[in-house]
Amino acid sequence: TFESTGDEPEPLHVGVDGDLDAPNFAVKRWSICMDCDRLFRPTRQCKECGCFMKIKVRLRSQRCPLGKW
């Protein structure tokens, strides 16, 4: 089970590109990102791809550049 860190993304039902996404999906991805040393925490950006991860984790069509999700 997933333990809350208090820093989960807020629920979002439709992504920027129109992808539908369940909140649980984004929370699991965000948890993986929070444990990754390639996350630049001040801006929540991935150091590999430059994406803002609190948005990217919500889009089903997107993938982690390191293959973590």
Side-chain angles (χ1 to χ4, degrees):
T1 63
F2 178 77
E3 287 188 38
S4 175
T5 63
D7 199 21
E8 294 82 20
E10 300 79 24
L12 183 71
H13 300 288
V14 179
V16 176
D17 62 1
D19 288 348
L20 293 178
D21 201 344
N24 245 3
F25 189 76
V27 169
K28 288 176 184 176
R29 285 181 168 188
W30 181 242
S31 175
I32 293 168
C33 290
M34 289 295 292
D35 289 336
C36 183
D37 65 340
R38 302 303 296 153
L39 180 69
F40 184 64
R41 290 179 180 264
T43 60
R44 307 277 199 302
Q45 282 178 276
C46 176
K47 293 177 186 177
E48 293 294 316
C49 64
C51 291
F52 291 95
M53 298 313 293
K54 288 194 87 161
I55 297 170
K56 187 173 183 175
V57 298
R58 296 175 172 135
L59 304 174
R60 285 190 190 273
S61 64
Q62 298 299 302
R63 299 287 177 254
C64 169
L66 299 174
K68 294 184 177 187
W69 46 263

mmCIF file of all heavy atoms in Angstrom, residues 9-42:
data_model
loop_
_atom_site.group_PDB
_atom_site.id
_atom_site.type_symbol
_atom_site.label_atom_id
_atom_site.label_comp_id
_atom_site.label_asym_id
_atom_site.label_seq_id
_atom_site.Cartn_x
_atom_site.Cartn_y
_atom_site.Cartn_z
ATOM 1 N N PRO A 9 0.273 14.692 -5.669
ATOM 2 C CA PRO A 9 -0.420 15.618 -6.563
ATOM 3 C C PRO A 9 -1.910 15.608 -6.278
ATOM 4 O O PRO A 9 -2.465 14.603 -5.860
ATOM 5 C CB PRO A 9 -0.129 15.046 -7.952
ATOM 6 C CG PRO A 9 0.247 13.637 -7.729
ATOM 7 C CD PRO A 9 0.822 13.543 -6.346
ATOM 8 N N GLU A 10 -2.536 16.750 -6.502
ATOM 9 C CA GLU A 10 -3.972 16.836 -6.312
ATOM 10 C C GLU A 10 -4.653 16.001 -7.394
ATOM 11 O O GLU A 10 -4.126 15.864 -8.486
ATOM 12 C CB GLU A 10 -4.433 18.300 -6.432
ATOM 13 C CG GLU A 10 -3.810 19.223 -5.429
ATOM 14 C CD GLU A 10 -2.394 19.643 -5.800
ATOM 15 O OE1 GLU A 10 -2.036 19.615 -6.992
ATOM 16 O OE2 GLU A 10 -1.637 19.978 -4.890
ATOM 17 N N PRO A 11 -5.839 15.461 -7.104
ATOM 18 C CA PRO A 11 -6.545 14.678 -8.122
ATOM 19 C C PRO A 11 -6.810 15.509 -9.370
ATOM 20 O O PRO A 11 -7.142 16.682 -9.300
ATOM 21 C CB PRO A 11 -7.859 14.311 -7.434
ATOM 22 C CG PRO A 11 -7.557 14.375 -5.986
ATOM 23 C CD PRO A 11 -6.542 15.479 -5.833
ATOM 24 N N LEU A 12 -6.627 14.892 -10.514
ATOM 25 C CA LEU A 12 -6.868 15.536 -11.797
ATOM 26 C C LEU A 12 -7.540 14.511 -12.678
ATOM 27 O O LEU A 12 -7.083 13.384 -12.772
ATOM 28 C CB LEU A 12 -5.544 15.984 -12.415
ATOM 29 C CG LEU A 12 -5.634 16.730 -13.725
ATOM 30 C CD1 LEU A 12 -6.219 18.121 -13.490
ATOM 31 C CD2 LEU A 12 -4.263 16.850 -14.353
ATOM 32 N N HIS A 13 -8.612 14.895 -13.332
ATOM 33 C CA HIS A 13 -9.361 13.925 -14.103
ATOM 34 C C HIS A 13 -9.097 13.997 -15.601
ATOM 35 O O HIS A 13 -9.242 13.018 -16.293
ATOM 36 C CB HIS A 13 -10.853 14.053 -13.806
ATOM 37 C CG HIS A 13 -11.145 13.829 -12.356
ATOM 38 N ND1 HIS A 13 -11.069 12.591 -11.770
ATOM 39 C CD2 HIS A 13 -11.439 14.687 -11.368
ATOM 40 C CE1 HIS A 13 -11.333 12.687 -10.480
ATOM 41 N NE2 HIS A 13 -11.558 13.952 -10.210
ATOM 42 N N VAL A 14 -8.698 15.147 -16.098
ATOM 43 C CA VAL A 14 -8.355 15.263 -17.509
ATOM 44 C C VAL A 14 -7.017 15.974 -17.599
ATOM 45 O O VAL A 14 -6.839 17.053 -17.074
ATOM 46 C CB VAL A 14 -9.419 16.053 -18.294
ATOM 47 C CG1 VAL A 14 -9.024 16.172 -19.749
ATOM 48 C CG2 VAL A 14 -10.773 15.388 -18.168
ATOM 49 N N GLY A 15 -6.061 15.357 -18.285
ATOM 50 C CA GLY A 15 -4.730 15.930 -18.423
ATOM 51 C C GLY A 15 -4.701 17.034 -19.457
ATOM 52 O O GLY A 15 -5.661 17.259 -20.194
ATOM 53 N N VAL A 16 -3.588 17.705 -19.536
ATOM 54 C CA VAL A 16 -3.399 18.824 -20.457
ATOM 55 C C VAL A 16 -3.633 18.390 -21.904
ATOM 56 O O VAL A 16 -4.214 19.113 -22.689
ATOM 57 C CB VAL A 16 -1.977 19.401 -20.287
ATOM 58 C CG1 VAL A 16 -1.714 20.491 -21.302
ATOM 59 C CG2 VAL A 16 -1.787 19.933 -18.880
ATOM 60 N N ASP A 17 -3.195 17.184 -22.255
ATOM 61 C CA ASP A 17 -3.370 16.713 -23.632
ATOM 62 C C ASP A 17 -4.647 15.890 -23.819
ATOM 63 O O ASP A 17 -4.823 15.224 -24.811
ATOM 64 C CB ASP A 17 -2.155 15.918 -24.105
ATOM 65 C CG ASP A 17 -1.921 14.658 -23.293
ATOM 66 O OD1 ASP A 17 -2.710 14.385 -22.370
ATOM 67 O OD2 ASP A 17 -0.955 13.938 -23.587
ATOM 68 N N GLY A 18 -5.541 15.932 -22.820
ATOM 69 C CA GLY A 18 -6.818 15.251 -22.927
ATOM 70 C C GLY A 18 -6.816 13.836 -22.394
ATOM 71 O O GLY A 18 -7.839 13.178 -22.407
ATOM 72 N N ASP A 19 -5.673 13.335 -21.941
ATOM 73 C CA ASP A 19 -5.617 11.987 -21.367
ATOM 74 C C ASP A 19 -6.446 11.926 -20.090
ATOM 75 O O ASP A 19 -6.355 12.800 -19.250
ATOM 76 C CB ASP A 19 -4.188 11.607 -20.983
ATOM 77 C CG ASP A 19 -3.306 11.340 -22.175
ATOM 78 O OD1 ASP A 19 -3.841 11.231 -23.291
ATOM 79 O OD2 ASP A 19 -2.088 11.243 -21.984
ATOM 80 N N LEU A 20 -7.243 10.882 -19.982
ATOM 81 C CA LEU A 20 -7.963 10.665 -18.730
ATOM 82 C C LEU A 20 -7.035 9.952 -17.770
ATOM 83 O O LEU A 20 -6.270 9.086 -18.158
ATOM 84 C CB LEU A 20 -9.221 9.821 -18.971
ATOM 85 C CG LEU A 20 -10.290 10.483 -19.795
ATOM 86 C CD1 LEU A 20 -11.452 9.520 -20.008
ATOM 87 C CD2 LEU A 20 -10.784 11.755 -19.142
ATOM 88 N N ASP A 21 -7.105 10.321 -16.516
ATOM 89 C CA ASP A 21 -6.189 9.737 -15.559
ATOM 90 C C ASP A 21 -6.856 9.600 -14.203
ATOM 91 O O ASP A 21 -7.478 10.521 -13.721
ATOM 92 C CB ASP A 21 -4.963 10.621 -15.420
ATOM 93 C CG ASP A 21 -3.774 9.882 -14.873
ATOM 94 O OD1 ASP A 21 -3.980 8.785 -14.316
ATOM 95 O OD2 ASP A 21 -2.671 10.384 -14.990
ATOM 96 N N ALA A 22 -6.690 8.443 -13.607
ATOM 97 C CA ALA A 22 -7.194 8.216 -12.263
ATOM 98 C C ALA A 22 -6.187 8.782 -11.274
ATOM 99 O O ALA A 22 -4.987 8.654 -11.465
ATOM 100 C CB ALA A 22 -7.377 6.723 -12.025
ATOM 101 N N PRO A 23 -6.634 9.418 -10.213
ATOM 102 C CA PRO A 23 -5.717 9.987 -9.223
ATOM 103 C C PRO A 23 -4.715 8.974 -8.670
ATOM 104 O O PRO A 23 -3.558 9.313 -8.478
ATOM 105 C CB PRO A 23 -6.646 10.494 -8.130
ATOM 106 C CG PRO A 23 -7.934 10.762 -8.817
ATOM 107 C CD PRO A 23 -8.022 9.716 -9.899
ATOM 108 N N ASN A 24 -5.124 7.726 -8.465
ATOM 109 C CA ASN A 24 -4.219 6.704 -7.939
ATOM 110 C C ASN A 24 -3.021 6.494 -8.840
ATOM 111 O O ASN A 24 -1.903 6.270 -8.376
ATOM 112 C CB ASN A 24 -4.963 5.379 -7.791
ATOM 113 C CG ASN A 24 -5.080 4.954 -6.363
ATOM 114 O OD1 ASN A 24 -4.655 5.661 -5.458
ATOM 115 N ND2 ASN A 24 -5.649 3.794 -6.161
ATOM 116 N N PHE A 25 -3.228 6.552 -10.129
ATOM 117 C CA PHE A 25 -2.183 6.383 -11.114
ATOM 118 C C PHE A 25 -1.100 7.447 -10.925
ATOM 119 O O PHE A 25 0.091 7.144 -10.881
ATOM 120 C CB PHE A 25 -2.837 6.514 -12.496
ATOM 121 C CG PHE A 25 -1.966 6.159 -13.651
ATOM 122 C CD1 PHE A 25 -1.710 4.839 -13.948
ATOM 123 C CD2 PHE A 25 -1.435 7.142 -14.446
ATOM 124 C CE1 PHE A 25 -0.936 4.494 -15.035
ATOM 125 C CE2 PHE A 25 -0.644 6.822 -15.538
ATOM 126 C CZ PHE A 25 -0.396 5.496 -15.829
ATOM 127 N N ALA A 26 -1.516 8.684 -10.792
ATOM 128 C CA ALA A 26 -0.582 9.792 -10.618
ATOM 129 C C ALA A 26 0.137 9.724 -9.280
ATOM 130 O O ALA A 26 1.320 10.031 -9.198
ATOM 131 C CB ALA A 26 -1.326 11.121 -10.757
ATOM 132 N N VAL A 27 -0.556 9.315 -8.246
ATOM 133 C CA VAL A 27 0.053 9.228 -6.911
ATOM 134 C C VAL A 27 1.167 8.193 -6.902
ATOM 135 O O VAL A 27 2.252 8.434 -6.356
ATOM 136 C CB VAL A 27 -1.015 8.916 -5.834
ATOM 137 C CG1 VAL A 27 -0.372 8.572 -4.505
ATOM 138 C CG2 VAL A 27 -1.956 10.096 -5.674
ATOM 139 N N LYS A 28 0.943 7.063 -7.539
ATOM 140 C CA LYS A 28 1.975 6.020 -7.593
ATOM 141 C C LYS A 28 3.196 6.510 -8.363
ATOM 142 O O LYS A 28 4.337 6.305 -7.935
ATOM 143 C CB LYS A 28 1.420 4.748 -8.235
ATOM 144 C CG LYS A 28 0.453 4.022 -7.334
ATOM 145 C CD LYS A 28 -0.145 2.822 -8.029
ATOM 146 C CE LYS A 28 -1.186 2.161 -7.138
ATOM 147 N NZ LYS A 28 -1.859 1.054 -7.817
ATOM 148 N N ARG A 29 2.973 7.151 -9.483
ATOM 149 C CA ARG A 29 4.091 7.683 -10.265
ATOM 150 C C ARG A 29 4.841 8.757 -9.471
ATOM 151 O O ARG A 29 6.068 8.788 -9.464
ATOM 152 C CB ARG A 29 3.595 8.284 -11.577
ATOM 153 C CG ARG A 29 3.219 7.266 -12.608
ATOM 154 C CD ARG A 29 2.772 7.963 -13.864
ATOM 155 N NE ARG A 29 2.679 7.034 -14.972
ATOM 156 C CZ ARG A 29 2.461 7.417 -16.215
ATOM 157 N NH1 ARG A 29 2.309 8.693 -16.516
ATOM 158 N NH2 ARG A 29 2.392 6.517 -17.175
ATOM 159 N N TRP A 30 4.089 9.648 -8.834
ATOM 160 C CA TRP A 30 4.706 10.734 -8.077
ATOM 161 C C TRP A 30 5.569 10.173 -6.944
ATOM 162 O O TRP A 30 6.655 10.691 -6.664
ATOM 163 C CB TRP A 30 3.654 11.685 -7.541
ATOM 164 C CG TRP A 30 4.233 12.825 -6.779
ATOM 165 C CD1 TRP A 30 4.022 13.124 -5.464
ATOM 166 C CD2 TRP A 30 5.122 13.833 -7.260
ATOM 167 N NE1 TRP A 30 4.731 14.238 -5.119
ATOM 168 C CE2 TRP A 30 5.424 14.699 -6.206
ATOM 169 C CE3 TRP A 30 5.713 14.081 -8.504
ATOM 170 C CZ2 TRP A 30 6.272 15.794 -6.336
ATOM 171 C CZ3 TRP A 30 6.568 15.166 -8.628
ATOM 172 C CH2 TRP A 30 6.829 16.010 -7.563
ATOM 173 N N SER A 31 5.128 9.124 -6.318
ATOM 174 C CA SER A 31 5.898 8.481 -5.253
ATOM 175 C C SER A 31 7.250 7.992 -5.790
ATOM 176 O O SER A 31 8.286 8.142 -5.130
ATOM 177 C CB SER A 31 5.101 7.313 -4.683
ATOM 178 O OG SER A 31 5.875 6.609 -3.741
ATOM 179 N N ILE A 32 7.247 7.421 -6.986
ATOM 180 C CA ILE A 32 8.489 6.958 -7.611
ATOM 181 C C ILE A 32 9.405 8.152 -7.892
ATOM 182 O O ILE A 32 10.606 8.110 -7.628
ATOM 183 C CB ILE A 32 8.180 6.165 -8.891
ATOM 184 C CG1 ILE A 32 7.463 4.860 -8.535
ATOM 185 C CG2 ILE A 32 9.451 5.904 -9.693
ATOM 186 C CD1 ILE A 32 6.854 4.136 -9.722
ATOM 187 N N CYS A 33 8.842 9.223 -8.398
ATOM 188 C CA CYS A 33 9.633 10.423 -8.681
ATOM 189 C C CYS A 33 10.240 11.019 -7.409
ATOM 190 O O CYS A 33 11.402 11.438 -7.404
ATOM 191 C CB CYS A 33 8.776 11.486 -9.367
ATOM 192 S SG CYS A 33 8.294 11.071 -11.051
ATOM 193 N N MET A 34 9.452 11.040 -6.348
ATOM 194 C CA MET A 34 9.940 11.611 -5.091
ATOM 195 C C MET A 34 11.139 10.835 -4.543
ATOM 196 O O MET A 34 11.973 11.405 -3.846
ATOM 197 C CB MET A 34 8.822 11.669 -4.050
ATOM 198 C CG MET A 34 7.760 12.702 -4.344
ATOM 199 S SD MET A 34 8.375 14.393 -4.274
ATOM 200 C CE MET A 34 8.708 14.534 -2.518
ATOM 201 N N ASP A 35 11.244 9.559 -4.861
ATOM 202 C CA ASP A 35 12.371 8.733 -4.418
ATOM 203 C C ASP A 35 13.558 8.783 -5.381
ATOM 204 O O ASP A 35 14.605 8.209 -5.088
ATOM 205 C CB ASP A 35 11.928 7.273 -4.240
ATOM 206 C CG ASP A 35 11.027 7.089 -3.044
ATOM 207 O OD1 ASP A 35 11.086 7.913 -2.113
ATOM 208 O OD2 ASP A 35 10.258 6.108 -3.045
ATOM 209 N N CYS A 36 13.405 9.448 -6.494
ATOM 210 C CA CYS A 36 14.436 9.454 -7.544
ATOM 211 C C CYS A 36 15.429 10.599 -7.319
ATOM 212 O O CYS A 36 15.038 11.741 -7.042
ATOM 213 C CB CYS A 36 13.771 9.613 -8.916
ATOM 214 S SG CYS A 36 14.951 9.548 -10.290
ATOM 215 N N ASP A 37 16.709 10.292 -7.483
ATOM 216 C CA ASP A 37 17.737 11.317 -7.306
ATOM 217 C C ASP A 37 17.812 12.282 -8.491
ATOM 218 O O ASP A 37 18.531 13.277 -8.434
ATOM 219 C CB ASP A 37 19.103 10.677 -7.063
ATOM 220 C CG ASP A 37 19.625 9.894 -8.254
ATOM 221 O OD1 ASP A 37 18.833 9.514 -9.128
ATOM 222 O OD2 ASP A 37 20.848 9.657 -8.291
ATOM 223 N N ARG A 38 17.065 12.028 -9.544
ATOM 224 C CA ARG A 38 17.048 12.905 -10.716
ATOM 225 C C ARG A 38 15.926 13.941 -10.659
ATOM 226 O O ARG A 38 15.770 14.737 -11.578
ATOM 227 C CB ARG A 38 16.929 12.088 -12.006
ATOM 228 C CG ARG A 38 18.044 11.067 -12.197
ATOM 229 C CD ARG A 38 19.448 11.671 -12.173
ATOM 230 N NE ARG A 38 19.613 12.584 -13.294
ATOM 231 C CZ ARG A 38 20.458 13.618 -13.303
ATOM 232 N NH1 ARG A 38 21.215 13.865 -12.275
ATOM 233 N NH2 ARG A 38 20.533 14.394 -14.351
ATOM 234 N N LEU A 39 15.166 13.961 -9.557
ATOM 235 C CA LEU A 39 14.126 14.977 -9.379
ATOM 236 C C LEU A 39 14.741 16.212 -8.739
ATOM 237 O O LEU A 39 15.344 16.131 -7.670
ATOM 238 C CB LEU A 39 12.995 14.448 -8.490
ATOM 239 C CG LEU A 39 11.854 15.434 -8.232
ATOM 240 C CD1 LEU A 39 11.051 15.691 -9.511
ATOM 241 C CD2 LEU A 39 10.936 14.924 -7.131
ATOM 242 N N PHE A 40 14.606 17.353 -9.402
ATOM 243 C CA PHE A 40 15.045 18.629 -8.840
ATOM 244 C C PHE A 40 13.887 19.170 -8.015
ATOM 245 O O PHE A 40 12.918 19.696 -8.546
ATOM 246 C CB PHE A 40 15.448 19.590 -9.965
ATOM 247 C CG PHE A 40 15.994 20.895 -9.465
ATOM 248 C CD1 PHE A 40 17.168 20.941 -8.730
ATOM 249 C CD2 PHE A 40 15.338 22.079 -9.743
ATOM 250 C CE1 PHE A 40 17.682 22.146 -8.270
ATOM 251 C CE2 PHE A 40 15.837 23.290 -9.295
ATOM 252 C CZ PHE A 40 17.012 23.326 -8.553
ATOM 253 N N ARG A 41 13.974 18.958 -6.730
ATOM 254 C CA ARG A 41 12.846 19.218 -5.827
ATOM 255 C C ARG A 41 12.341 20.671 -5.796
ATOM 256 O O ARG A 41 11.135 20.873 -5.704
ATOM 257 C CB ARG A 41 13.173 18.729 -4.429
ATOM 258 C CG ARG A 41 13.215 17.217 -4.381
ATOM 259 C CD ARG A 41 13.569 16.724 -2.986
ATOM 260 N NE ARG A 41 13.606 15.277 -2.978
ATOM 261 C CZ ARG A 41 12.588 14.519 -2.606
ATOM 262 N NH1 ARG A 41 11.470 15.073 -2.201
ATOM 263 N NH2 ARG A 41 12.691 13.210 -2.642
ATOM 264 N N PRO A 42 13.207 21.683 -5.846
ATOM 265 C CA PRO A 42 12.668 23.051 -5.767
ATOM 266 C C PRO A 42 11.619 23.371 -6.835
ATOM 267 O O PRO A 42 10.651 24.077 -6.570
ATOM 268 C CB PRO A 42 13.906 23.937 -5.920
ATOM 269 C CG PRO A 42 15.026 23.100 -5.391
ATOM 270 C CD PRO A 42 14.680 21.684 -5.833
#
